[in-house]
Structure formats: structure tokens, C-alpha cells
Amino acid sequence: MTDIAEWGAPARVRAEEGWEPPSRRAWRLIGELMLTAGVVAVLFAAYATYGKSWQIESEQNGLATELDRRWAASVERPVAGQPMARIHIPKLDRQWAVVEGVSQADLRKGPGHYPSTAQPGQIGNVAIAGHRISSIFWDIDRLHQGDVIVAETRTGWFVYRVVRQRLVLPRQVEVIAPSPGRPGQAPRKAMLTLTTCNPKFQNWQRLIVHAELVREQAKSSGRPAELKGRP
């Protein structure tokens, strides 16, 4: 007769040898895969936010030098992929060289100017796009009515004040029309519009900041008061 104490022996042996039921093994494997996928997602988000930011910061240094060189040579005509202006946002303590164009190659350098839109200071809409990453338009959701955006060209400073912030769908391209939100109507104001993705780390919306020109100042008069004390 088999001793009742021996009935559990095979189970004890299997446990001691590390054996586990197939269902438990499958769930453990799924858990490990999910953990790995989570780590990969975090690393990808970190690269998208900080890796691209470092790359763009490096590009911006070169663009700033190139822009100064072009201005010193009295070159103002926009050239695709080349810097055409600067924008300054005192509230965010940021400035960028803006390239002509909004292709992926252009936006890897910094903010890009939609070529079909107005130039700084002109009647119409100066539309500028940028990635939602830490080195570019990460914090433009902090811009509200009355905040200043200054566009700088070779010969002048153009001071805009924010009039509206809004969220739209990517298909709502009327936000960069000469009269934003009123496509087909002739523009009566000089405006500047910033566009970027929303929410952060996603792109199913667009965050839009509209600003209107309040004054302009020749470069020969020095820096505008809104930028005094800033580099």
C-alpha cells in the first residue's frame, strides 16, 4: 500500500525543479513582453522629446550664424530650407531662427515658415509651424491674450500680441489662411500664427496661437522695449 504521504511527492519534486503550469508560464511571458514594450515606449518618447531637441539645438546654432551672415550680405529673399527670420517669445525666454518651408527636413532644423503665407510685417498671416518638443514649441500653450511675439528681419522688428489660443483638427487648414478662419476673405490685418501638435507626445489635434501686429520698429532704432535685457 502506498503511504498517503507519498501522494504529493511528484508535485513537490516538480516544484523543487522549477516546474510551473503552462498557463502560468504563458501569463508570465505576456507580462514580460508588456514590461519590455513599456520600456521601449518610454525610451522612444524620451528620444522623441530630448534626442530631437538636442539635434535641433545644434541645427539652431548653425542657422543663427547663417542668418546673421545672410543679413550682413543684405540677402533677404527667402530660400527653401534656409533661415529667413527670427521669432522671440519673451514670456518663454526663447528665440529661434525660422527656416523657409515646413517639410520634415525643414522642421528638423527648427520652426518653419509656410511659404505661401505672408512675410513678417505684411498684411495677411505669417504662419509658422514647429514640433511639440522641448527645444521648440513645447510650452506655447502658456501663451495667452496680450503676450508678446516679436518677429525679427534684416531691417526691422515686428511686435505682435496674442489675441487667441485654440485647438483644431489637422484638417482645419483655414487657421493659416490670410484671414485666419475666414478662407477666401481678403486680409485686413497683419497677423502671425504659430501651429504645433497637441496633446504633447501626440498629434491628433493642432494647437494654434494667433497674434496681431501692434507696432513695428526699424533695426536702426535698436532693440524694441519688449526685448530689452534679453539676448
Side-chain angles (χ1 to χ4, degrees):
M1 178 181 297
T2 302
D3 193 303
I4 193 169
E6 297 180 358
W7 290 1
R12 289 197 302 273
V13 171
R14 290 196 296 269
E16 291 171 358
E17 293 177 349
W19 182 89
E20 61 181 336
S23 59
R24 183 182 301 172
R25 188 182 310 124
W27 281 111
R28 180 168 57 80
L29 179 60
I30 291 172
E32 290 173 354
L33 290 174
M34 291 178 67
L35 179 61
T36 300
V39 171
V40 170
V42 169
L43 292 175
F44 178 80
Y47 168 75
T49 301
Y50 300 106
K52 288 182 179 179
S53 295
W54 294 329
Q55 177 185 348
I56 288 178
E57 291 284 4
S58 177
E59 291 280 1
Q60 280 287 304
N61 291 333
L63 288 174
T65 300
E66 174 63 15
L67 188 58
D68 289 336
R69 185 194 68 79
R70 290 170 61 83
W71 285 351
S74 300
V75 177
E76 283 193 289
R77 183 175 62 85
V79 176
Q82 294 296 312
M84 49 78 68
R86 282 193 184 93
I87 57 171
H88 305 252
I89 304 182
K91 182 175 184 178
L92 304 183
D93 197 27
R94 297 304 304 261
Q95 68 175 38
W96 300 277
V98 179
V99 300
E100 182 70 7
V102 291
S103 69
Q104 287 301 312
D106 296 327
L107 295 181
R108 281 195 290 269
K109 302 174 183 178
H113 171 249
Y114 286 88
S116 60
T117 67
Q119 296 292 310
Q122 292 182 347
I123 297 296
N125 188 15
V126 186
I128 298 173
H131 285 309
R132 193 79 183 273
I133 57 178
S134 60
S135 61
I136 306 296
F137 287 170
W138 183 259
D139 285 330
I140 67 167
D141 56 317
R142 292 173 52 198
L143 297 178
H144 300 289
Q145 187 172 2
D147 289 329
V148 169
I149 301 172
V150 179
E152 177 189 359
T153 68
R154 184 179 72 86
T155 58
W157 304 93
F158 302 90
V159 180
Y160 296 81
R161 288 198 179 274
V162 174
V163 293
R164 186 182 181 189
Q165 181 190 124
R166 58 192 297 210
L167 296 175
V168 302
L169 295 176
R171 66 172 181 270
Q172 294 177 259
V173 296
E174 66 272 14
V175 296
I176 64 169
S179 292
R182 296 185 294 274
Q185 290 192 18
R188 297 181 179 179
K189 298 178 180 179
M191 300 194 66
L192 182 147
T193 296
L194 305 180
T195 74
T196 193
C197 294
N198 192 74
K200 293 175 179 177
F201 302 115
Q202 300 183 48
N203 63 359
W204 57 276
Q205 290 178 322
R206 295 293 180 267
L207 173 63
I208 309 298
V209 175
H210 293 304
E212 292 183 3
L213 182 67
V214 293
R215 70 184 189 87
E216 57 187 85
Q217 178 178 319
K219 276 288 189 68
S220 58
S221 299
R223 293 172 69 83
E226 290 81 0
L227 298 181
K228 289 294 176 64
R230 298 180 181 276

